[in-house]
Amino acid sequence: MIYYVTNSQEIQENRHYKRISIESSIEFLKSLPIIGLDTETAGLDSHTKALLSVQMGNFDDQVVIDCSTVDIHKYECILLDRSKIFILCNAKFDLQFFYEKHIDIDNIWDVFLMERLLFLGLPYKEHPANLKYLSLKYCSVNMDKTARGQIIKTGINSDRVIVYAATDVKYLELIMNAQKIELKKKGLITAAAYENKYCPVLAYIEWCGVKLDVPRWKEKMKKDFTLLKEKEQTLNDWVIKNYPDDKRFTFIDRQGDLFTGFNTGPQCKINWNSPKQVIPFLEGLGFDLRTKDKNTGLYTKSVGAKTIKPQISKNSIAPVYIAYKEASKLVGTYGQNILDQINPATHRIHTNYNQLGTTTGRLSSGGKEGKIRKIDFQNIPAEDNTRACFIAEEGNKFVSCDYSGQESRVIAYLTKDPSMLDLYKNGCGDMHSLVAKMAYPDIIGDTPVEEIKAKFKKQRSDAKNIEFGFNYGGDAHTIHSTKGIPLKEAEIIYDNYMKGFPGVKDYQDRQRKFVIENGYVTLCYKTGHKSFMPDFRQFKDLEKKLDRTFWRKYRDIPRNPDTGKKKGRNEEEIEMTKDVSTFYKTKSSMEKQAIDYSCQGSGAVMHKLSSILFFKWIKDNHLLYKVKLVLAVHDELDFECPAEIADKAAKALQDFMYKAGDYLCGEPHFPADAEIGDYWIH
């Protein structure tokens, strides 16, 4: 039965629903231990758009509350009841409208998040998580969503809309129960509890937003534009120097200009903003611009700095081009676009976060909303001029807190390498120096780890790339390409590293074997978070296909004398060479992910757990809406609060970050650093 609560006299009850009083609806809802919950709103922004209705109920009965005539605070006795479980779909959106009313709902189950968790790593288009899809999948009900567009125009004042709103909560409990069965099968019940507990925290971060120092940002924009012009000129000068007579890339203006006169020297004719012009130029210099699209899985060509950085040793233009692209990003992505995102009601920037936004369970942020591309705080430049523009309100302090060497410590925990664990337990904790000692034994010798930072600065600096390159599944070729050193030298460094850290090799061998056999990576061993390999089924099919008979035929295929690769002479042989190539590429990709993902996944869960604990502390101390969580960036949580409690709050967060590390990983410990100031310091 649908019950409708309103003070409007325009709509009378009929066969579709029954009108009841606020008191009667509250009495009914009090009897439900599990409540499906949903909202209808006048738009996406909780700060500027109205809450039109709130729906609560179960499969048998649903209550639709007309918030245009009924004060939703009258239902606080239900919404704030910590003994109840509230089921939502994409709860982060709805919770922000409740935060706007200063109603913080706890104990949620988000069917959208749970579906993402069940298929983390697999393409969303193959496993959608919207309510329409979930209702069809778990309840065999094809929901009619066409009334959604009508709500913003007309509000909750028609039979069709009231029924539509009620239907959105009707199947939520059935979906939850079905998901629990699937989560249990995959060992994800504990992971589900963590993600559901973190969702209100992330909703609060989005709702709080962060304040921007507008005058300072505009000044930064001017400097960024000047820098871009300098980098562009340097890039043009490189082309002119190396291709002064090549008409494809340079020209001489022989006609001149009435105002500026003549420039008889060569000028660069490449438009660096045009991939159509840049792609053939860079490919002609030997750069491989192919990159795999994360959404489609297809290869495209990219002229981004990320594509060029691993190939920096190929040509002297690489560092010049990278510097230009980074300056261009500052102007384009982090320029006027940021000013356009200032909310007219809060005068703050509210980006969008995706809780399970990556295949490793880490947060992602940004994305397009209408014509605006939301700011991606995960990739915002770390330089001071940019970050110092994000500030605390007057009377508040900005607190940044992040883990000290989290990735290195997680690697030590995962690999159980004796040298790494001893460094953190009994040594100085300087992993980069220890890596340098292991990678360059002939240079550093018996020098104590504590002295390496002062005595061997170059080797320690190089060790950063070596550490993360090898720890995430790279090999000698990785260092050869990123550092531009001879392959033989890179091989010596790799061998030294693996001898020095035998635990790393053992761990990587285990990870490779596990993913090939099981098709997923355990992201966090304490919670059971998993990332599933999208190409695993195809890989296993190929593995069966590539039997002894296949390999006997494959051996007879001749090799191309120039490339050394197999070259099929007919359709069957061409297909066989493709199958072998796909098999080994897929295997290599899965093995690399198996090594990489557990580190990132453990770090992500650690960040979420510490945030959950700190959020509880905020609420327990009645500081909600006073302590504002403003940014979540990888292993860092930033907040602002009244200056008089900044030290206390910072210490609390540091303690929770330490406890989260201990609970999830044990040794080594995970200390956190806090900085208190007027702006974003980290």
Side-chain angles (χ1 to χ4, degrees), residues 27-153:
E27 284 305 308
F28 162 67
L29 292 169
K30 279 182 178 179
S31 68
L32 301 182
I34 299 174
I35 297 177
L37 175 63
D38 188 41
T39 65
E40 299 300 339
T41 67
L44 300 178
D45 177 27
S46 63
H47 300 287
T48 59
K49 301 300 180 182
L51 178 66
L52 299 178
S53 73
V54 171
Q55 299 80 248
M56 291 186 273
N58 57 18
F59 180 78
D60 296 315
D61 301 290
Q62 306 90 41
V63 175
V64 179
I65 303 161
D66 173 18
C67 294
S68 65
T69 64
V70 176
D71 184 0
I72 194 60
H73 290 96
K74 293 184 180 297
Y75 289 84
E76 284 187 339
C77 59
I78 304 296
L79 296 168
L80 299 179
D81 187 343
R82 305 310 189 199
S83 69
K84 296 186 183 298
I85 296 173
F86 293 94
I87 315 168
L88 302 94
C89 185
N90 194 17
K92 181 167 64 72
F93 172 82
D94 304 280
L95 293 176
Q96 290 182 65
F97 280 85
F98 286 112
Y99 283 132
E100 191 66 21
K101 303 291 184 182
H102 281 211
I103 298 172
D104 62 294
I105 299 172
D106 211 348
N107 294 342
I108 70 151
W109 181 282
D110 187 339
V111 296
F112 171 85
L113 269 181
M114 295 304 98
E115 198 70 9
R116 297 300 302 128
L117 183 64
L118 277 166
F119 300 100
L120 187 64
L122 303 181
Y124 181 82
K125 62 182 179 181
E126 294 177 14
H127 301 280
N130 58 73
L131 186 57
K132 182 177 175 64
Y133 174 81
L134 297 179
S135 299
L136 184 62
K137 176 181 177 180
Y138 293 113
C139 308
S140 301
V141 173
N142 191 4
M143 295 179 69
D144 181 5
K145 307 294 286 185
T146 56
R148 177 181 291 165
Q150 183 182 338
I151 294 172
I152 294 177
K153 295 178 182 178

Side-chain angles (χ1 to χ4, degrees), residues 585-632:
K585 280 182 180 178
T586 305
K587 184 174 185 286
S588 175
S589 176
M590 288 196 300
E591 288 178 340
K592 190 175 186 306
Q593 289 165 347
I595 294 166
D596 179 7
Y597 281 16
S598 292
C599 180
Q600 290 195 35
S602 296
V605 177
M606 196 181 299
H607 169 82
K608 290 175 181 178
L609 176 56
S610 61
S611 301
I612 291 167
L613 295 172
F614 185 55
F615 192 56
K616 183 179 184 299
W617 179 86
I618 290 172
K619 293 199 288 186
D620 289 346
N621 286 274
H622 310 291
L623 294 172
L624 201 61
Y625 312 113
K626 291 182 181 177
V627 175
K628 296 179 179 178
L629 303 182
V630 298
L631 292 171

Side-chain angles (χ1 to χ4, degrees), residues 425-579:
K425 188 175 182 179
N426 304 311
C428 63
D430 183 355
M431 179 58 72
H432 298 323
S433 290
L434 180 61
V435 169
K437 185 180 180 71
M438 297 300 187
Y440 302 104
D442 294 339
I443 299 174
I444 294 178
D446 295 329
T447 303
V449 175
E450 294 81 1
E451 298 176 15
I452 290 173
K453 187 175 183 178
K455 294 182 178 179
F456 299 95
K457 291 181 180 179
K458 181 184 183 302
Q459 285 73 24
R460 186 181 181 277
S461 177
D462 290 343
K464 296 176 184 178
N465 287 331
I466 293 170
E467 177 188 350
F468 295 117
F470 293 163
N471 285 347
Y472 290 145
D475 55 17
H477 290 276
T478 308
I479 301 301
H480 164 65
S481 61
T482 56
K483 288 175 58 61
I485 63 176
L487 183 58
K488 251 186 177 174
E489 183 182 337
E491 287 172 345
I492 292 171
I493 292 171
Y494 178 79
D495 290 341
N496 288 339
Y497 186 88
M498 290 303 170
K499 285 177 187 174
F501 299 115
V504 173
K505 184 180 184 307
D506 291 344
Y507 163 75
Q508 292 185 356
D509 289 344
R510 291 196 307 271
Q511 291 294 97
R512 291 187 184 102
K513 183 179 178 183
F514 185 89
V515 75
I516 294 304
E517 291 176 353
N518 298 279
Y520 68 85
V521 179
T522 301
L523 300 174
C524 178
Y525 291 96
K526 190 79 173 184
T527 63
H529 281 76
K530 296 175 177 65
S531 182
F532 300 92
M533 301 290 104
D535 298 325
F536 182 66
R537 200 170 290 175
Q538 178 195 25
F539 172 78
K540 282 299 181 183
D541 289 342
L542 277 174
E543 193 175 47
K544 289 179 182 177
K545 186 177 179 181
L546 274 56
D547 57 13
R548 289 182 179 180
T549 303
F550 177 94
W551 287 114
R552 277 199 297 268
K553 290 183 179 180
Y554 182 76
R555 277 196 293 270
D556 293 334
I557 300 174
R559 293 184 181 276
N560 185 317
D562 296 326
T563 64
K565 295 181 179 179
K566 294 278 188 177
K567 184 178 181 181
R569 295 163 294 190
N570 53 50
E571 285 187 17
E572 182 187 11
E573 290 185 351
I574 291 171
E575 186 67 27
M576 290 176 74
T577 59
K578 285 182 179 178
D579 285 342

Side-chain angles (χ1 to χ4, degrees), residues 170 178 188 222 271 293 370 400 501 549 586 588 603 612 618 681:
K170 183 179 177 71
L188 291 169
K222 291 179 184 177
N271 178 359
D293 188 290
S400 295
F501 299 115
T549 303
T586 305
S588 175
I612 291 167
I618 290 172
I681 298 173

Side-chain angles (χ1 to χ4, degrees), residues 3-29:
Y3 299 102
Y4 186 46
V5 183
T6 182
N7 287 322
S8 171
Q9 300 304 314
E10 293 180 12
I11 300 179
Q12 301 302 317
E13 66 180 59
N14 54 39
R15 64 186 178 86
H16 298 292
Y17 59 84
K18 179 181 179 181
R19 284 186 61 162
I20 59 172
S21 66
I22 295 172
E23 293 74 20
S24 297
S25 64
I26 288 174
E27 284 305 308
F28 162 67
L29 292 169

